[in-house]
Amino acid sequence: MPVDPDTRFPGESDEYRRERDRLREAEIELRRAIERVAAQRRALPAGGAVPDDYRFEEAVDGGGEVRFSELFAPGKDTLVIYSFMFPRSSGDTRPGPASGETARLPLAETPCPSCTSILDSLDGAAPHLAHRLNLAVVAKSDPERIRTSARERGWRHLRLLSSRNNAYNRDYQAETPDGEQIPILNVFVRDDQGIRHSWATELMFAPRDEGEDPRHVDSIWPIWNVLDMTPQGRGPSRTRRSASRTRAPCRRLRASRCRSSASARDSGSARSRSRPGCAAAA
């Protein structure tokens, strides 16, 4: 498509065009930054080897067990796993499902509404992604509950797994030591040396300004991307609520890491010494 630096729309004022052109320059810089970050992400060295061939329970397609290594289809060496908060964070008081069997669960045992929104969209994208990579959604919940919730949401394409009987969530930062679930996306790659971790949405754990969302999975979440294009945006009250909800489990995770770091110094354990300290995790 040809570049037109003099783009205009019907009825706009000179003031509007002047400010819109300024915004367009900022958008151009944002596009460049996105490309730079994506290239930097692709250039990361190999991550750590996956420590276990975790056994998951299939939540759909007749159930049964599947090993982590079996999530890689022939010819596709990338695996993306989204950690679904089911149950939701203990401090999340947003309404649960309005109807269906999932609505009968205690609120604290229902799925996270934000994760549900993400997966509503990801279900539609899953068949397209399947041409390039392997995709799975993992929740530390009873497979029957996951299956029921998926049926009630109309999900047809997502590979849904239960991690209730393995350590995947704990190993890959999808759970605090207190058992709180954390929404995180992890990427793994397979090569001749085995299966290694590649990348995770660590922005979840990064410092942020007061009232600011973590935005760690926003790139796969259409709702906020669309709202960000409107004059009303995301809404100030939603931002504050979201920041409060997402900070709570992260604060608990950082506190636990601090305790682990102190324990490591006291015990001299080689395993504990390898854990990040408070400053690194903050």
Side-chain angles (χ1 to χ4, degrees):
M1 180 176 293
V3 175
D4 183 1
D6 298 317
T7 300
R8 298 185 73 92
F9 291 90
E12 66 182 33
S13 66
D14 290 340
E15 179 188 15
Y16 172 87
R17 178 44 48 192
R18 181 173 60 253
E19 294 304 313
R20 181 63 186 90
D21 286 348
R22 288 180 58 195
L23 173 59
R24 183 165 61 180
E25 290 302 313
E27 290 171 339
I28 290 170
E29 286 304 311
L30 176 61
R31 181 172 63 190
R32 291 170 178 157
I34 290 172
E35 293 294 338
R36 286 195 302 269
V37 170
Q40 191 174 354
R41 186 184 299 120
R42 292 191 298 270
L44 281 171
V50 175
D52 188 16
D53 198 7
Y54 306 103
R55 289 178 178 268
F56 296 96
E57 296 173 87
E58 294 272 14
V60 293
D61 297 332
E65 283 193 346
V66 60
R67 289 183 177 273
F68 185 90
S69 59
E70 295 171 335
L71 299 177
F72 288 84
K76 290 188 286 188
D77 295 323
T78 300
L79 170 64
V80 175
I81 295 183
Y82 180 78
S83 291
F84 177 20
M85 293 176 69
F86 191 175
R88 64 174 63 198
S89 169
S90 61
D92 188 350
T93 59
R94 288 174 293 174
S99 61
E101 293 181 41
T102 308
R104 301 190 186 102
L105 296 173
L107 182 64
E109 298 178 22
T110 60
C112 165
S114 296
C115 288
T116 301
S117 170
I118 291 172
L119 296 178
D120 280 347
S121 301
L122 202 56
D123 182 68
H128 304 284
L129 291 169
H131 294 292
R132 296 281 301 274
L133 53 78
N134 306 285
L135 174 68
V137 175
V138 169
K140 195 167 186 178
S141 187
D142 184 290
E144 181 58 38
R145 285 189 174 186
I146 301 172
R147 184 180 304 117
T148 298
S149 180
R151 184 182 67 250
E152 292 170 349
R153 297 301 303 181
W155 298 340
R156 299 184 296 117
H157 305 296
L158 293 172
R159 185 167 196 177
L160 300 162
L161 307 171
S162 171
S163 59
R164 63 176 179 174
N165 294 323
N166 66 41
Y168 172 83
N169 290 46
R170 183 66 59 87
D171 289 347
Y172 285 98
Q173 309 298 338
E175 180 181 322
T176 72
D178 298 329
E180 289 280 350
Q181 301 303 293
I182 297 176
I184 188 170
L185 184 145
N186 280 284
V187 180
F188 302 88
V189 294
R190 178 180 62 180
D191 58 24
D192 294 339
Q193 305 301 313
I195 302 173
R196 307 183 75 87
H197 186 252
S198 174
W199 179 83
T201 52
E202 294 184 31
L203 201 58
M204 173 74 176
F205 309 113
R208 53 189 183 271
D209 296 336
E210 184 62 34
E212 189 177 49
D213 284 335
R215 299 197 180 210
H216 62 301
V217 290
D218 278 21
S219 56
I220 65 166
W221 199 352
I223 284 179
W224 305 123
N225 286 289
V226 173
L227 289 176
D228 281 344
M229 297 176 186
T230 68
Q232 296 80 17
R234 303 182 178 209
S237 61
R238 196 220 69 90
T239 300
R240 288 193 294 269
R241 287 197 302 272
S242 175
S244 175
R245 284 194 308 272
T246 53
R247 276 185 173 136
C250 293
R251 281 197 299 266
R252 286 189 284 271
L253 180 59
R254 287 195 293 268
S256 175
R257 284 174 169 171
C258 291
R259 291 194 296 271
S260 296
S261 181
S263 174
R265 291 191 296 269
D266 294 340
S267 68
S269 162
R271 175 180 175 86
S272 296
R273 280 198 302 271
S274 69
R275 298 291 293 174
C278 303

